[in-house]
C-alpha cells in the first residue's frame, strides 16, 4: 500500500522515496508491481499498466527530477536544466485515456501516459502560483513535500494523522517526562 498524504499526486509520487535523507531511505517503487499499484491506488489509472523494470527506472528518474525541481524552488535556487528537460519531455507525452461508458468513466493507459499526467501536473504547480505554497514536512525524519493550502499558510506537517501526531505525541511525552523529574 502506498501513502498519499499530500493530496497532490506529483508530490505524493516524490514521497515514494521515504526518508530520503536517511542512510537507507525506503524505496516504495522497487518493482514493476509496486509501480503498477501506485498508479491504481493514486487513481491515475483504473487498471495496472503492466510496468516492467525499464518503466520503473524511467519512473524513478522522473520522480527524482520532480524532487530536484521542488528542492530548488524550496531553496530559492534556479531550476536544474536536466530536471526541467526531463519533466517537459514526459509532459509532452500522450494523456491517459478517459472513456465514458454506461457504468461511468474509466481511466486507462500505459506507464508513459501515467507519467505524462504526473509531469503535466508538476509543470502546472511549479510554473504557477502554487509553487509559492511548496513546503517540506517539519518532522526531521520525514522528507515529504506538500502544498500548504491551509488558512494562514502555517501548516507544518505533510499529514496531521502521521507526522503531526508523532511530533505532538513526542512533545507531550517530553513534557510529561520533564514534569515527573524531581526538583533538587
Amino acid at each position: 500500500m502506498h501513502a498519499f498524504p499530500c493530496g497532490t499526486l506529483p508530490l505524493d509520487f516524490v514521497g515514494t522515496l521515504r526518508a530520503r535523507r536517511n542512510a537507507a531511505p525506503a524505496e516504495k517503487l522497487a518493482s514493476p508491481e509496486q509501480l503498477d499499484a501506485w498508479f491504481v491506488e493514486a487513481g491515475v489509472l483504473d487498471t495496472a499498466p503492466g510496468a516492467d523494470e525499464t518503466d520503473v527506472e524511467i519512473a524513478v528518474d522522473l520522480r527524482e527530477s520532480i524532487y530536484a525541481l521542488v528542492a530548488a524552488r524550496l531553496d530559492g535556487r534556479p531550476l536544474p536544466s536536466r530536471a526541467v528537460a526531463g519533466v517537459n519531455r514526459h509532459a509532452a507525452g500522450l494523456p491517459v485515456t478517459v472513456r465514458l461508458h454506461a457504468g461511468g468513466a474509466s481511466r486507462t493507459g500505459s506507464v508513459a501516459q501515467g507519467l505524462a499526467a504526473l509531469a503535466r501536473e508538476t509543470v502546472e504547480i511549479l510554473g504557477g502560483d502554487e509553487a509559492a505554497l511548496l513546503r517540506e514536512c517539519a518532522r526531521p525524519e520525514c522528507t515529504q513535500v506538500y502544498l500548504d493550502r491551509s488558512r494562514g499558510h502555517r501548516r507544518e506537517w505533510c499529514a496531521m494523522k502521521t507526522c503531526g501526531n508523532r511530533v505532538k505525541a513526542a512533545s507531550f511525552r517530553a513534557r510529561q517526562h520533564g514534569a515527573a523529574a524531581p526538583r533538587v
Side-chain angles (χ1 to χ4, degrees), residues 57 67 102 133 137 171:
E57 290 174 25
Y67 182 73
L133 303 178
C137 185
S171 177

Side-chain angles (χ1 to χ4, degrees), residues 19-40:
R20 64 174 55 241
R21 285 189 293 271
N22 288 2
E27 177 61 74
K28 299 299 183 180
L29 295 180
S31 71
E33 295 77 19
Q34 287 177 317
L35 180 57
D36 281 346
W38 191 89
F39 280 122
V40 173

Side-chain angles (χ1 to χ4, degrees), residues 87-99:
V87 167
N88 283 339
R89 185 176 59 256
H90 283 284
L94 292 173
V96 168
T97 302
V98 180
R99 289 206 168 97

Side-chain angles (χ1 to χ4, degrees), residues 3-168:
F4 301 91
C6 300
T8 306
L9 289 179
L11 301 181
D12 284 325
F13 191 63
V14 164
T16 59
L17 183 62
R18 301 247 171 85
R20 64 174 55 241
R21 285 189 293 271
N22 288 2
E27 177 61 74
K28 299 299 183 180
L29 295 180
S31 71
E33 295 77 19
Q34 287 177 317
L35 180 57
D36 281 346
W38 191 89
F39 280 122
V40 173
E41 291 171 28
V44 174
L45 300 169
D46 294 335
T47 58
D52 61 23
E53 292 295 334
T54 300
D55 291 325
V56 172
E57 290 174 25
I58 292 167
V60 167
D61 186 59
L62 175 61
R63 177 190 69 199
E64 294 309 305
S65 291
I66 295 170
Y67 182 73
L69 295 171
V70 167
R73 279 281 191 242
L74 287 170
D75 294 342
R77 292 181 284 114
L79 298 178
S81 58
R82 181 189 173 282
V84 168
V87 167
N88 283 339
R89 185 176 59 256
H90 283 284
L94 292 173
V96 168
T97 302
V98 180
R99 289 206 168 97
L100 182 63
H101 48 80
S106 62
R107 302 174 62 79
T108 58
S110 65
V111 169
Q113 288 171 288
L115 295 176
L118 293 172
R120 279 191 287 280
E121 191 171 346
T122 299
V123 169
E124 294 291 329
I125 292 168
L126 294 172
D129 293 341
E130 286 189 313
L133 303 178
L134 284 166
R135 305 285 186 275
E136 185 175 59
C137 185
R139 188 171 72 91
E141 299 81 24
C142 184
T143 55
Q144 184 68 55
V145 289
Y146 60 92
L147 292 175
D148 181 4
R149 294 180 176 132
S150 69
R151 189 178 199 172
H153 305 292
R154 293 191 298 237
R155 180 174 158 190
E156 296 180 54
W157 305 292
C158 60
M160 184 59 202
K161 71 180 183 177
T162 54
C163 288
N165 190 44
R166 288 177 187 156
V167 170
K168 287 185 174 211

